[in-house]
């Protein structure tokens, strides 16, 4: 289970298999009865299993983040007591798949049998996604404090939006087709959902009314050259613990070219990133240098092309999260600015990790 010195264990508990019946691009699925609130939750594990059959003619290309890009959106929606609805996770599946690696050092499964290719044939695909609720990469006390506290919610629900077979392998030239089925054939693609519960020992009194939120608030074109110029607003009103970015190139027009696919990821779109408050830099680093800094800080052997993370809690303390609580009321500007290089079909995705309420 993995024991913490603070006396917390994290057992895995099967919840439900979601049947992806009539799997067409943009279809939405969820749990029949929501996420149980009987115990504090460390997170969820999703195991996607499907068969993708390429028929008639070969595909064109395999996207940069296939097959984990098949889940186009993963959301955890909570109805907070006295606070309305809150999305605690709202990101694309490929970014979710990457996220856990940064704080665990281990990449979840993303496998195809046989190996993914554009050739006509049948491909059985298995992808595992880990959805952590607490803040990671900080002290054990902070992680325990931000475990999902069920007493804060009336309900919690999981929402999945899927792609299609062309999301996994692009291209419909010469009549190339895709057919989705269950892993091994017959039936529907599935997502097995497990809860990762928390069993408190001496840490029983450490749980706080704090909620960690990850979202994709900005999806931008990156087709122009900029020099120390505005790129995007950043979210305000909470404490921002991390910002992370994904940059790359959209596929050429055709089946599978739609958002959120990337044909390639690139480190050459944003060349210098600045986080500014009212025009004054609070972070300023070259893109490649910042990637290497985060990689060595977290002790990672590799770091994926196209991603970069600005970690305000780099020393492992949640209290270092950047406070933007009053920025909205005071009209203060919290922005991503910097230098970019022009190119066709480029995209910049800006993600935010926020602490909704600090303990």
């Amino acid at each position: 289970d993995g024991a913490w010195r603070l006396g917390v264990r994290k057992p895995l508990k099967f919840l439900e298999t979601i049947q992806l019946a009539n799997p067409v691009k943009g279809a939405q699925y969820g749990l029949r009865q929501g996420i149980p609130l009987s115990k504090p939750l460390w997170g969820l594990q999703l195991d996607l299993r499907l068969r993708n059959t390429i028929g008639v003619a070969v595909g064109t290309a395999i996207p940069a983040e296939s097959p984990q890009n098949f889940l186009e959106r993963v959301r955890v929606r909570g109805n907070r007591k006295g606070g309305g609805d809150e999305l605690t996770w709202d990101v694309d599946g490929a970014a979710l798949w990457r996220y856990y690696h940064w704080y665990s050092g281990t990449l979840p499964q993303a496998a195809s049998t046989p190996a993914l290719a554009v050739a006509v044939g049948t491909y059985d695909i298995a992808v595992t996604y880990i959805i952590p609720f607490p803040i990671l990469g900080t002290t054990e006390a902070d992680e325990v404090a931000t475990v999902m506290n069920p007493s804060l919610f009336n309900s919690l629900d999981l929402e999945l939006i899927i792609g299609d077979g062309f999301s996994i392998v692009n291209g419909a030239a010469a009549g190339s087709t895709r057919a989705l089925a269950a892993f091994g054939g017959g039936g529907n693609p599935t997502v097995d959902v497990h809860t990762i519960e928390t069993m408190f020992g001496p840490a029983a009194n450490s749980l706080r009314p704090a909620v960690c939120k990850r979202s994709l608030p900005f999806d931008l074109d990156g087709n122009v050259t900029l020099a120390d110029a505005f790129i995007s607003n950043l979210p305000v009103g909470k404490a921002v613990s991390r910002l992370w970015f994904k940059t790359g190139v959209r596929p050429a027009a055709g089946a599978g070219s739609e958002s959120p696919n990337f044909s390639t990821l690139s480190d050459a779109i944003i060349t210098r990133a600045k986080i500014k408050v009212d025009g004054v830099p609070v972070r300023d680093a070259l893109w490649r240098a910042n990637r290497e800094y985060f990689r060595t800080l977290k002790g990672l052997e590799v770091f994926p092309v196209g991603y970069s993370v600005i970690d305000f809690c780099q020393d492992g303390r949640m209290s270092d999260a950047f406070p933007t609580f009053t920025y909205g009321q005071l009209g203060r500007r919290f922005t991503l600015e910097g230098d970019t290089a022009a190119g066709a079909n480029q995209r910049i995705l800006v993600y935010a990790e926020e602490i909704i309420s600090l303990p």
Side-chain angles (χ1 to χ4, degrees):
D1 297 329
W4 291 345
R5 289 189 299 275
L6 287 176
V8 176
R9 297 184 67 81
K10 300 179 288 185
L12 198 65
K13 184 176 181 180
F14 175 69
L15 180 59
E16 182 181 321
T17 296
I18 298 175
Q19 298 285 334
L20 305 182
N22 303 312
V24 296
K25 182 177 175 63
Q28 181 171 314
Y29 302 87
L31 297 165
R32 289 189 297 270
Q33 296 183 339
I35 300 169
L37 300 176
S38 54
K39 292 182 180 179
L41 293 175
W42 187 91
L44 302 172
Q45 178 172 311
L46 312 181
D47 292 282
L48 168 70
R49 292 169 63 84
L50 62 85
R51 169 169 286 186
N52 188 34
T53 299
I54 302 175
V56 181
V58 299
T60 303
I62 300 170
E65 298 187 283
S66 183
Q68 57 267 27
N69 65 334
F70 180 77
L71 292 186
E72 295 194 341
R73 206 74 166 191
V74 178
R75 296 186 175 112
V76 177
R77 187 185 302 274
N79 181 262
R80 296 187 69 189
K81 293 179 179 177
D85 282 351
E86 190 74 64
L87 286 167
T88 61
W89 272 97
D90 183 14
V91 301
D92 56 285
L96 169 63
W97 184 83
R98 283 286 180 191
Y99 177 88
Y100 184 65
H101 167 238
W102 301 338
Y103 300 102
S104 70
T106 301
L107 277 172
Q109 170 183 235
S112 172
T113 306
L116 208 56
V118 299
V120 170
T122 297
Y123 301 87
D124 285 323
I125 292 168
V127 183
T128 296
Y129 305 85
I130 305 295
I131 307 177
F133 292 143
I135 189 170
L136 302 183
T138 55
T139 66
E140 289 175 329
D142 284 345
E143 187 168 339
V144 169
T146 52
V147 163
M148 184 66 78
N149 187 338
S151 67
L152 300 177
F153 293 92
N154 297 308
S155 63
L156 277 175
D157 293 293
L158 174 68
E159 300 173 3
L160 306 176
I161 297 176
I162 67 167
D164 57 17
F166 291 103
S167 304
I168 298 170
V169 177
N170 298 164
S176 182
T177 62
R178 306 290 184 274
L180 296 175
F183 188 97
N188 301 314
T190 58
V191 177
D192 296 324
V193 181
H194 287 76
T195 58
I196 307 173
E197 297 181 342
T198 46
M199 299 175 63
F200 290 102
N205 295 322
S206 299
L207 189 62
R208 309 278 185 89
V211 178
C212 194
K213 173 182 179 179
R214 288 91 168 181
S215 63
L216 171 55
F218 302 106
D219 184 343
L220 313 164
D221 287 328
N223 299 334
V224 297
T225 298
L226 300 174
D228 194 18
F230 173 84
I231 299 173
S232 174
N233 288 306
L234 296 172
V236 298
K238 304 175 178 68
V240 179
S241 48
R242 282 130 189 171
L243 299 165
W244 79 94
F245 313 95
K246 178 163 56 173
T247 55
V249 180
R250 290 185 176 93
S257 66
E258 304 90 344
S259 178
N261 274 348
F262 285 90
S263 58
T264 59
L265 296 176
S266 172
D267 289 327
I269 297 174
I270 298 178
T271 56
R272 182 175 180 177
K274 299 180 181 182
I275 306 302
K276 295 185 178 182
V277 176
D278 294 335
V280 178
V282 294
R283 294 290 189 278
D284 179 3
L286 298 178
W287 177 273
R288 292 180 183 275
N290 186 70
R291 283 169 35 81
E292 184 63 12
Y293 176 68
F294 183 80
R295 185 191 70 80
T296 55
L297 189 71
K298 298 303 178 186
L300 301 173
E301 290 296 321
V302 295
F303 196 76
V305 171
Y307 282 87
S308 191
V309 180
I310 294 177
D311 192 341
F312 294 107
C313 300
Q314 63 192 30
D315 294 325
R317 296 186 300 267
M318 184 172 60
S319 58
D320 290 338
F322 203 84
T324 66
F325 305 107
T326 61
Y327 282 19
Q329 301 95 306
L330 298 177
R332 305 193 69 183
R333 299 178 66 244
F334 189 44
T335 56
L336 168 66
E337 304 187 23
D339 305 343
T340 66
N345 300 319
Q346 293 183 163
R347 295 174 64 219
I348 299 170
L349 272 60
V350 182
Y351 305 81
E353 179 183 278
E354 304 166 87
I355 308 299
I356 295 176
S357 56
L358 282 172

